[in-house]
Amino acid sequence: MAVGKSATDVEIFKPRIDKRAYRRIVLSNSLEALLISDPDTDKAAASMVVSVGYFSDPDGLEGLAHFLEHMLFFASEKYPMEDSYSKYITEHGGSTNAFTAPDLTNFYFDVNVDCFEEALDRFAQFFIKPLMSPDATIREIKAVDSENRKNLLSDGWRMNQLHKHLSSKDHPYHKFGTGSWDTLEVKPKEKGIDTRNELLKFYQENYSANLMQLVVYGKETLDEIQTQVEKKFDSIRNLGRNCFHFPGQPCTSEHLQILVKAVPIKQGHTLRIIWPITPSIRNYKEGPCRYLGHLIGHEGEGSLFYILKTLGWAMGLSAGEGDWSLEFSFFNVIIELTDAGHEHVEDIVGLLFKYILLLQRSGVTKWIFDELAAICENGFHYQDKVRPRDYVVNISSNMKLYPPEDWLVGSSLPSKFVPSTIQSALDELNMENVRVFWESKKFEGCTDLVEPWYGTAYSINKITASTIQQWVEKAPNAYLHLPSPNIFIPTDLSLKGLQEKVKFPTLLRKSSFSRLWYKPDTMFFTPKAYIKIDFNCPLSSHSPEAEVLTDIFTRLLMDYLNEYAYDAQVAGLDYAIRHADTGFQVIVVGYNHKMRILLETIVLKLHQFEVKPDRFAVIKEAVIKEYQNFKFQQPYQQAMYYCTLLLEDHTWPWSEELDVLPYLEADHLAKFAPILLSKAFLECLVAGNIEPAEAESVVQHVEDVLFRGPQPTSKPLFPSQHLTNRVVKLDKGVIYHYPVEGLNQKDENSSLVHYIQVHQDDIKLDVKLQLFALVAKQPAFHQLRSVEQLGYITVLMKRNDSGVRGAQFIIQSTVKDPAELDVRVGAFLKLFEGKLYEMSEEEYKSNVNALIDMKLEKHKNLRDEAAFYWGEISDGTLKFDRRDSEVAALRDLKKEELVDFFNYYIKVDSPQRKTLSVQVYGGVHSAEYKKTINEADEPGRYQIKDIFSFRRSRPLYGSFKGGLGHMKL
């Protein structure tokens, strides 16, 4: 039963357009819960936060809280079959995961609504009587270790740990939270510590109902959800534990006024200026850090970033609070430096303090606070609906931090203007309180210290306030000033009247220049719109040089627009200009009120494009670094890249693009841009709160600017010039394998992508493939990850290349080489074959119904809906009613048909099977790589030695865009 009058009489503050019902309850064991009833939802979800994280790890058992998070997924006394929880969730259209933070662990799942009650019961057992068997213990320590190895060469993880390492050893912030084989197995054994006993003890002592907050999101009424929650969670023990509490900042005086030079893995230079501050959550309605982050991180004219960009010293800047808790916090300014900026770090720090001085002199400004409050208010009240899983995770994490009425709002809605609070936060951003972290490959060989967990090389120098003052005095004179009022804040938030309910996009208009697909908002009823224009430019990808120049062209356009359009993004109107397979795309999404102003400015910049040599040089430098850093991608990402390169005709390899980059100059782009734009066709999708005539007018305007006039920028394409994506057709009964060394041999991880090509888009085959993927996904994860412990990343998923469908296994591992991983995938499929034959009719129907429920799931917001329809337009399949057709096909599908599909397309020794095995060999498997490439092919196996010879020798699937009524005008 719910206890205490205050438990249910709190009114939860919610957005104006939110039709969901909310109720707070407190169970008899003191567990606090928020219930959410959404009659329109097709997914149910729950998230449980336990206020215990890795700050509570016992000394000498780093990662124990994270390890416990892993272990709770295995089995419970009520559901003793290992992995039955995850199996149930996956087979009923859901997903599940968890994360361990410093002071909390968050467990969550979603599932199809009609299976919610049983899923919730299984979930509750995590916190009642989990089993944590000895056998699973050793296996899951290996999984934690694999997760840690995945992070070892990630700059994000490395720099975060270095920041923690350079803090007080007596503060839990100093800890290493992930855990590894060393911390959870080797070192405890050396000390005679039994990790499993410590794990059980940690659970028994810390997992107490009074330290838990639960969010449950369902379709039922609040009363019905409450009954379920009380029944399932009331038996969690309440030990009356106090919340873990560690007052004080992690940084003492010895950790302040330091300049840390660190060597990253990737190319590039990053400057992080960090101040320990009073947590702004204590004054969250006054939003002190939001106000300061808004100004210091601004990118408009007169801002710090604008000056640094003008000087050619920075490519990006962000500012705001990070790594915070109720007890301590940090304010961060992170600047991505150019090579020139790397030579001017003292000047850059000086300019930052000049801007802080400007804020001190200007005083806290009411109109800026009011403007920010108005933007935040619009953002809160007109927020897009998100997946229930994401929603419950966000709210559950808020519950221990905010009073119940503000659980949905959190810190997102500053509403009280208290200048003294903002001034106090500003005062903390001073020269005595600062830490400067400077990352660059140029420091290699010039450091004298090593961070113990990730091996990051670094050195420390003390910097005094007087030194920083000197940097301020010698920094360039620059006209730094506060931003101007934001013209993009929408004031018309009305909804357009709809003449008729349109279910799918319609072809509203077509000409020799463009084609316009239109879909009004009939579901979300928000004052937002979505415009996407795909510029099909055949000259954009005819060579590696053209591909790179098109990329730089789009980045320069974004660069030129930044000062003007930054305000639009702040006000909730996002835009992007990005390189695409057949040219480039312009996307504008957000409040529709001032969208036209932004889009017309983008088109004008496009029409009047000119190359500014200084900006070209900066963008080129950034692009070169991105290409150079490709080799530091995770091995599984490299394997997926090679798979795409092997399958998709007319894609250029990154190595060739990197080769041509150094020789490209501003003049090359100046000559290329007019050629790029000289021939174009515009594929457009306009959706949301926008009327048909307005949608037509938008496209008409773009045509008028680019295609009409005395000297048009563009001419229409000839029918022969329309570009399409063609995909390689693999031979039946042949196993193609492509072994390749990982690009960074310091990375121990190897990887496999085992791809099974099935068919070109066909509704009946599509649903069979999807049903196979659903039924096999969890058994594959359980066998390959949980039982065989091949690696942390172990996935079976569907694949779609321009309408050509297949299935792929993705595994990253240090314990087996890729050829051996391939063998394990084959062994799994043989094991699965038996389970598929034995599947009962009831279990089969349950899986079919789960997939149908997933198909019937409504789009959550305008972006989701538009992305789905754009996929059909982009592939040329144009099956806007795809989900309805798939549901109809699933209702008729018999189990025998699924078995026949498996035997024909998937079964290991099927003569019809089409297989591509991409094998990336990491540093620990270099001997196996040498052996593999020298082995003679067995019958039915073909080793690909050259990607492009292979591609040229293979037939291609026809493109859907080649069909009548598709690209033809």
Side-chain angles (χ1 to χ4, degrees):
M1 60 169 235
V3 295
K5 179 176 180 292
S6 65
T8 54
D9 61 4
V10 174
E11 186 174 346
I12 312 279
F13 184 61
K14 67 178 190 175
R16 282 183 210 120
I17 61 171
D18 188 353
K19 297 185 175 68
R20 294 169 286 209
Y22 298 85
R23 178 186 294 168
R24 171 187 179 258
I25 63 169
V26 180
L27 304 189
S28 60
N29 59 358
S30 296
L31 186 147
E32 192 174 30
L34 177 66
L35 318 178
I36 306 173
S37 169
D38 180 0
D40 295 328
T41 193
D42 24 43
K43 274 277 197 291
S47 170
M48 176 77 93
V49 159
V50 186
S51 294
V52 181
Y54 68 78
F55 276 7
S56 301
D57 284 346
D59 288 339
L61 275 167
E62 291 86 359
L64 192 68
H66 178 220
F67 175 43
L68 174 58
E69 171 228 298
H70 277 237
M71 286 300 295
L72 293 184
F73 281 80
F74 271 87
S76 62
E77 196 172 280
K78 185 171 181 182
Y79 299 100
M81 194 178 95
E82 189 177 291
D83 209 43
S84 68
Y85 162 76
S86 298
K87 184 173 187 288
Y88 183 86
I89 297 287
T90 305
E91 287 180 355
H92 294 91
S95 58
T96 179
N97 214 328
F99 62 86
T100 306
D103 53 356
L104 63 84
T105 308
N106 193 323
F107 301 87
Y108 55 91
F109 75 91
D110 65 358
V111 73
N112 292 337
V113 284
D114 55 345
C115 312
F116 189 41
E117 187 164 0
E118 185 175 337
L120 198 62
D121 192 53
R122 290 169 178 272
F123 182 66
Q125 301 309 309
F126 281 35
F127 315 102
I128 297 169
K129 282 197 175 168
L131 286 182
M132 298 192 273
S133 71
D135 174 48
T137 302
I138 284 294
R139 282 189 280 125
E140 209 53 28
I141 290 176
K142 289 179 181 173
V144 168
D145 186 64
S146 177
E147 184 176 353
N148 180 55
R149 284 170 182 251
K150 170 184 72 71
N151 303 333
L152 288 177
L153 296 178
S154 158
D155 282 328
W157 285 90
R158 290 164 71 87
M159 296 307 160
N160 184 41
Q161 191 64 42
L162 179 59
H163 188 241
K164 295 196 278 192
H165 180 64
L166 297 177
S167 66
S168 172
K169 290 183 173 63
D170 299 327
H171 197 287
Y173 184 75
H174 185 79
K175 289 185 173 185
F176 166 61
T178 312
S180 66
W181 181 256
D182 199 44
T183 68
L184 294 169
E185 175 65 14
V186 178
K187 285 190 175 154
K189 260 195 177 154
E190 286 171 0
K191 296 174 189 167
I193 295 170
D194 184 314
T195 301
R196 182 166 177 269
N197 286 347
E198 292 298 320
L199 180 78
L200 297 172
K201 183 176 155 194
F202 188 83
Y203 179 83
Q204 294 297 335
E205 289 180 358
N206 291 293
Y207 272 51
S208 173
N210 72 306
L211 295 184
M212 297 181 184
Q213 282 89 20
L214 173 70
V215 181
V216 178
Y217 188 116
K219 197 181 184 80
E220 300 84 357
T221 66
L222 289 173
D223 287 343
E224 288 167 333
I225 297 171
Q226 181 168 337
T227 301
Q228 284 187 32
V229 168
E230 288 170 351
K231 192 167 101 185
K232 298 182 193 314
F233 292 88
D234 210 33
S235 53
I236 297 173
R237 299 165 309 135
N238 179 10
L239 307 170
R241 292 281 293 174
N242 290 325
C243 219
F244 179 81
H245 187 68
F246 206 104
Q249 283 282 0
C251 296
T252 62
S253 56
E254 70 172 292
H255 307 112
L256 302 175
Q257 294 188 322
I258 55 171
L259 171 62
V260 180
K261 294 178 180 178
V263 182
I265 297 294
K266 291 185 174 181
Q267 293 291 341
H269 324 282
T270 306
L271 190 63
R272 300 172 199 270
I273 301 97
I274 301 168
W275 293 267
I277 56 162
T278 304
S280 67
I281 189 167
R282 296 179 191 174
N283 308 98
Y284 66 93
K285 292 197 172 176
E286 287 127 69
C289 283
R290 187 174 279 266
Y291 176 94
L292 295 174
H294 169 66
L295 292 175
I296 297 171
H298 209 279
E299 297 184 16
E301 217 169 292
S303 67
L304 173 63
F305 178 68
Y306 176 78
I307 300 299
L308 294 177
K309 184 181 149 183
T310 306
L311 290 164
W313 292 351
M315 289 183 278
L317 185 149
S318 63
E321 195 174 17
D323 245 4
W324 59 271
S325 73
L326 288 165
E327 305 296 341
F328 67 87
S329 185
F330 297 95
F331 189 92
N332 307 314
V333 177
I334 301 168
I335 306 171
E336 194 185 336
L337 304 174
T338 61
D339 288 346
H342 177 72
E343 305 301 323
H344 287 274
V345 160
E346 293 177 5
D347 290 328
I348 292 168
V349 175
L351 281 166
L352 168 58
F353 276 100
K354 270 192 176 181
Y355 193 81
I356 290 168
L357 201 60
L358 165 72
L359 296 183
Q360 289 281 12
R361 282 202 302 267
S362 307
V364 179
T365 311
K366 187 170 190 303
W367 75 262
I368 291 176
F369 181 88
D370 290 343
E371 185 180 90
L372 193 57
I375 290 166
C376 292
E377 192 172 352
N378 282 342
F380 177 71
H381 286 296
Y382 297 101
Q383 63 184 274
D384 287 341
K385 226 176 173 182
V386 296
R387 293 182 301 181
R389 190 188 76 188
D390 298 335
Y391 196 56
V392 296
V393 167
N394 182 44
I395 297 169
S396 62
S397 299
N398 279 351
M399 285 173 72
K400 63 176 282 189
L401 301 169
Y402 302 95
E405 59 270 22
D406 287 335
W407 281 346
L408 308 188
V409 179
S411 300
S412 69
L413 206 53
S415 54
K416 288 184 186 171
F417 181 59
V418 183
S420 59
T421 304
I422 296 171
Q423 187 61 52
S424 295
L426 180 58
D427 290 343
E428 289 187 288
L429 308 187
N430 59 54
M431 296 175 188
E432 288 79 22
N433 197 31
V434 75
R435 290 152 61 89
V436 180
F437 287 73
W438 182 5
E439 302 154 30
S440 173
K441 292 283 262 187
K442 291 198 173 180
F443 298 140
E444 251 170 341
C446 306
T447 57
D448 56 351
L449 296 165
V450 176
E451 188 280 317
W453 298 110
Y454 291 82
T456 305
Y458 71 99
S459 62
I460 303 180
N461 298 98
K462 290 298 278 185
I463 43 169
T464 63
S466 60
T467 303
I468 297 173
Q469 185 57 45
Q470 287 169 14
W471 296 353
V472 172
E473 287 163 10
K474 78 175 185 69
N477 287 320
Y479 182 42
L480 292 162
H481 60 83
L482 296 180
S484 305
N486 190 333
I487 61 163
F488 282 103
I489 299 173
T491 50
D492 179 2
L493 297 163
S494 60
L495 299 181
K496 313 279 186 187
L498 286 176
Q499 304 304 313
E500 54 182 319
K501 272 216 161 191
V502 181
K503 193 174 179 186
F504 303 117
T506 53
L507 185 56
L508 191 60
R509 176 184 188 276
K510 65 176 180 177
S511 70
S512 57
F513 310 114
S514 71
R515 192 161 64 153
L516 168 60
W517 297 96
Y518 170 69
K519 170 66 176 70
D521 177 9
T522 55
M523 194 183 298
F524 312 110
F525 307 108
T526 59
K528 296 179 180 181
Y530 179 103
I531 298 175
K532 187 167 198 169
I533 304 174
D534 187 79
F535 287 76
N536 191 307
C537 302
L539 298 170
S540 66
S541 56
H542 67 83
S543 68
E545 289 88 347
E547 191 92 9
V548 172
L549 286 169
T550 304
D551 187 15
I552 295 175
F553 167 77
T554 61
R555 292 173 192 240
L556 272 175
L557 274 171
M558 289 286 286
D559 186 74
Y560 296 165
L561 283 159
N562 193 59
E563 290 78 55
Y564 171 79
Y566 178 76
D567 272 348
Q569 290 187 302
V570 168
L573 185 52
D574 287 334
Y575 73 101
I577 305 163
R578 61 181 180 221
H579 184 204
D581 290 342
T582 54
F584 64 96
Q585 297 173 342
V586 173
I587 304 137
V588 187
V589 57
Y591 298 110
N592 56 273
H593 180 205
K594 300 187 177 178
M595 184 175 273
R596 180 93 186 236
I597 301 168
L598 178 60
L599 183 65
E600 289 185 1
T601 305
I602 292 170
V603 174
L604 189 62
K605 283 274 185 202
L606 193 63
H607 175 58
Q608 298 174 342
F609 181 79
E610 57 178 282
V611 181
K612 298 174 184 171
D614 59 330
R615 297 313 300 160
F616 176 89
V618 168
I619 298 297
K620 175 184 165 183
E621 181 191 315
V623 173
I624 286 175
K625 284 174 186 164
E626 273 185 38
Y627 276 95
Q628 289 171 335
N629 287 332
F630 181 86
K631 67 181 179 188
F632 300 115
Q633 281 190 324
Q634 293 275 349
Y636 82 89
Q637 294 169 317
Q638 294 178 34
M640 291 176 77
Y641 157 77
Y642 287 122
C643 194
T644 299
L645 196 60
L646 283 156
L647 290 173
E648 293 193 5
D649 188 45
H650 213 68
T651 46
W652 305 105
W654 73 278
S655 53
E656 290 181 8
E657 292 176 354
L658 179 58
D659 284 347
V660 303
L661 250 168
Y663 305 105
L664 297 175
E665 300 299 341
D667 285 352
H668 293 107
L669 183 58
K671 288 174 188 156
F672 175 75
I675 296 168
L676 169 72
L677 295 171
S678 65
K679 301 282 279 186
F681 180 81
L682 279 47
E683 187 86 69
C684 312
L685 172 63
V686 177
N689 189 40
I690 194 163
E691 290 168 341
E694 198 181 346
E696 287 197 64
S697 163
V698 164
V699 176
Q700 182 69 56
H701 174 79
V702 180
E703 283 189 7
D704 288 346
V705 171
L706 297 178
F707 293 96
R708 296 187 175 90
Q711 289 183 307
T713 305
S714 303
K715 289 181 180 171
L717 298 188
F718 293 120
S720 61
Q721 288 181 294
H722 287 275
L723 294 179
T724 57
N725 294 326
R726 304 280 302 274
V727 177
V728 163
K729 188 183 281 189
L730 300 177
D731 270 346
K732 294 175 181 176
V734 179
I735 298 168
Y736 295 97
H737 62 112
Y738 177 63
V740 62
E741 280 191 294
L743 294 166
N744 175 23
Q745 285 294 293
K746 288 182 182 170
D747 194 330
E748 297 178 348
N749 291 284
S750 291
S751 191
L752 167 78
V753 169
H754 180 100
Y755 168 66
I756 305 164
Q757 193 175 71
V758 176
H759 64 285
Q760 194 167 23
D761 191 52
D762 169 283
I763 291 295
K764 193 90 181 192
L765 282 169
D766 288 352
V767 298
K768 290 175 187 175
L769 174 64
Q770 290 167 35
L771 190 56
F772 159 71
L774 176 69
V775 173
K777 180 181 175 181
Q778 191 56 34
F781 180 85
H782 178 63
Q783 181 62 32
L784 301 172
R785 150 86 192 263
S786 301
V787 176
E788 299 187 29
Q789 284 298 318
L790 296 178
Y792 180 71
I793 294 170
T794 308
V795 185
L796 164 61
M797 61 192 292
K798 305 182 298 290
R799 184 180 173 108
N800 174 19
D801 298 274
S802 302
V804 177
R805 319 271 171 173
Q808 58 183 355
F809 290 83
I810 302 166
I811 307 175
Q812 184 163 295
S813 179
T814 54
V815 295
K816 302 271 186 195
D817 70 84
E820 186 59 31
L821 294 176
D822 215 28
V823 170
R824 299 320 307 150
V825 168
F828 162 73
L829 284 170
K830 283 177 180 167
L831 188 71
F832 176 75
E833 188 181 334
K835 289 182 179 172
L836 183 62
Y837 294 153
E838 292 159 17
M839 184 190 290
S840 67
E841 196 61 34
E842 184 186 2
E843 192 182 348
Y844 169 76
K845 281 188 174 153
S846 169
N847 280 296
V848 169
N849 290 335
L851 189 53
I852 287 173
D853 287 345
M854 290 161 76
K855 296 278 158 210
L856 295 173
E857 195 177 327
K858 295 186 280 286
H859 296 295
K860 296 294 173 285
N861 53 58
L862 181 61
R863 285 176 197 249
D864 277 0
E865 183 186 61
F868 174 81
Y869 292 133
W870 184 261
E872 296 293 330
I873 294 165
S874 176
D875 286 348
T877 40
L878 301 180
K879 290 177 182 165
F880 299 128
D881 64 346
R882 176 179 299 278
R883 301 204 294 187
D884 295 344
S885 304
E886 288 180 338
V887 166
L890 277 166
R891 293 197 199 283
D892 293 339
L893 194 68
K894 305 284 185 291
K895 182 195 162 189
E896 297 74 43
E897 293 178 86
L898 177 64
V899 172
D900 289 345
F901 169 85
F902 177 86
N903 287 338
Y904 189 90
Y905 291 102
I906 310 291
K907 190 174 174 179
V908 172
D909 50 4
S910 164
Q912 312 299 327
R913 193 177 197 257
K914 298 190 281 187
T915 314
L916 171 61
S917 172
V918 179
Q919 304 171 356
V920 173
Y921 285 77
V924 294
H925 296 127
S926 55
E928 288 87 342
Y929 169 72
K930 290 184 176 72
K931 185 177 166 219
T932 298
I933 58 168
N934 292 315
E935 279 176 350
D937 281 328
E938 299 165 17
R941 284 182 69 83
Y942 177 81
Q943 184 182 138
I944 299 168
K945 301 206 170 173
D946 178 78
I947 288 175
F948 308 103
S949 299
F950 166 77
R951 233 165 52 177
R952 283 190 288 266
S953 69
R954 303 302 318 133
L956 303 174
Y957 282 99
S959 167
F960 287 105
K961 287 191 170 179
L964 282 171
H966 286 246
M967 194 53 95
K968 193 175 177 187
L969 296 164

